[in-house]
Amino acid sequence: MSVWDQVVGQEAAIAPLQAAVAQPAAMTHAWIITGPPGSGRSHAARAFAAALQCLEGGCGTCRACTTAISGAHADVTVLATEKVTISIDEVRDLISTAQSSPSEGRWRVIIVEDADRMTERTSNVLLKSIEEPPPRTVWVLCAPSGEDIAVTIRSRSRKVSLRMPDPEVVARLLIERDGVEPELARQCAYAAQSHIGVARRLARDPAARARRDQVLALATDIRGVGDAVLAAADLVAVAEEDAKAATEERDVEERNALLRTLGADDGGRLPPALRSQVKQLEDDQKRRATRHKRDVMDRAIVDLMSLYRDVAAVHVGAAQPLINESHRGHIEALAARTELADTMRCLDALSTTRDRLASNVAPLLALEAMALALRPRVAA
Ligand SMILES: [Zn+2]
């Protein structure tokens, strides 16, 4: 399987990247890969890096390919942040790496995931390096859209725009690459609305599917104020648990690694001079947990929106397959006892909730308001 085979449903979009690999003389030193979350931006960036290092243009099996994809290649640097912003120091480090020629590969490739998280000042520092790149250095910036990148950088880069792949294409990837059973693969690809990472998690983890079903059940389970308040509290609790499971182990490892680096891993008291470094790490970890929690809640809302979109599709008699085909019974029942206007009102409420969570409203408050809005309207 070539490295490009895993960048599914993007044949037209990635053609310029493949052409650059084939024609190194015409290389562009800065690329921007855009696309909605889940479209595979960082995957495409890594595939490009692998294809540049591989002697066969991305065979997918040689050492250059596998290490470039996994992020272990000496000449491929990936900055993947889980913080809200990329710091100017992180970018300065990248720039100094960018100045050195490749140690073993053919190119030095620097990938910045979430390049939209750079402040203007940081972008300006990066711009200088992009304007006068060393001959064998290639920058690859990933962002949701071109508008998320400073215009000065944009004008010096080539843009590759990914789109959401068709769910059938995602299903095929799950079947062929991950060995998922076809029926389940389709169900998960549609449920994830083509988000490849989410689709794979759903396919592999029955608990994730069960959690999603639980979220969808809210649409029919919330009858009164009491149900709504409980449902909101449940959602927050699930998100907290999920965040804890995802970050706890790593937090401890990182802390131990830092203590080892500082030479303070003998269990004794930390000298005051080192405390601020540990505190800094703990703050970063806290921010990461918060972000994870918010992502889980956002995903739950996106799932609920997909259910109401299905209800709306039944209302208007649309012919396309439902996103949640396996919930068709519930969806038709909900459509039968509501009107399109009710469904649109619920979709509005969900979209408002997403905005509120993104602007840091206390999650429980935002979700309570959402759950209350999802109650069936009582005839006056
Ligand atoms: Zn290869």
Side-chain angles (χ1 to χ4, degrees), residues 54-56 58-62 64-65:
C54 173
L55 293 172
E56 325 219 341
C59 67
T61 48
C62 72
C65 280

Side-chain angles (χ1 to χ4, degrees), residues 193 211-212 215-216 218 235 293-309 324 346-358 363 366-368 370-371 374:
Q193 298 176 69
R211 270 202 301 273
R212 185 173 187 278
V215 168
L216 293 190
L218 291 181
L235 265 180
K293 207 160 73 185
R294 214 181 296 147
D295 287 349
V296 171
M297 288 186 280
D298 190 59
R299 192 70 221 168
I301 299 171
V302 169
D303 285 339
L304 269 171
M305 290 178 92
S306 77
L307 185 103
Y308 284 100
R309 281 213 191 94
N324 302 286
C346 290
L347 278 167
D348 275 349
L350 289 166
S351 146
T352 307
T353 310
R354 285 190 84 186
D355 295 344
R356 284 189 187 146
L357 284 178
L367 292 178
E368 273 179 5
M370 174 194 90
L374 297 183

Side-chain angles (χ1 to χ4, degrees), residues 198-272:
V198 172
R200 189 170 49 212
R201 181 150 24 94
L202 285 174
R204 280 181 174 171
D205 182 3
R209 291 202 293 280
R211 270 202 301 273
R212 185 173 187 278
D213 285 346
Q214 234 178 325
V215 168
L216 293 190
L218 291 181
T220 39
D221 286 357
I222 298 176
R223 294 299 177 129
V225 175
D227 300 336
V229 172
L230 286 178
D234 274 355
L235 265 180
V236 174
V238 167
E240 266 162 12
E241 245 167 67
D242 201 306
K244 202 171 154 205
T247 52
E248 204 169 40
E249 198 178 328
R250 209 157 121 211
D251 285 357
V252 174
E253 272 169 28
E254 282 173 353
R255 191 168 195 278
N256 290 341
L258 176 65
L259 291 179
R260 264 197 307 280
T261 324
L262 299 175
D265 55 341
D266 51 6
R269 272 180 59 87
L270 214 51

Side-chain angles (χ1 to χ4, degrees), residues 31-33 110 112 115 118 126 130 139-143 149 153 157:
W31 297 79
I32 297 177
I33 300 183
I110 315 250
V112 183
M118 283 185 294
L126 176 60
I130 284 181
W139 286 89
V140 186
L141 312 179
C142 306
I149 306 271
I153 291 184
S157 313

Side-chain angles (χ1 to χ4, degrees), residues 51-115:
L52 285 173
Q53 306 295 8
C54 173
L55 293 172
E56 325 219 341
C59 67
T61 48
C62 72
R63 197 176 156 275
C65 280
T66 51
T67 54
I69 294 277
S70 73
H73 195 291
D75 297 326
V76 178
T77 306
V78 181
L79 177 67
T81 188
E82 293 188 69
K83 287 182 282 178
V84 180
T85 53
I86 294 175
S87 76
I88 203 158
D89 288 338
E90 284 170 308
V91 169
R92 285 206 175 106
D93 283 348
L94 288 182
I95 291 171
S96 78
T97 307
Q99 292 308 319
S100 57
S101 27
S103 61
E104 52 179 66
R106 304 155 71 202
W107 296 93
R108 178 162 294 285
V109 185
I110 315 250
I111 298 171
V112 183
E113 293 182 0
D114 304 307

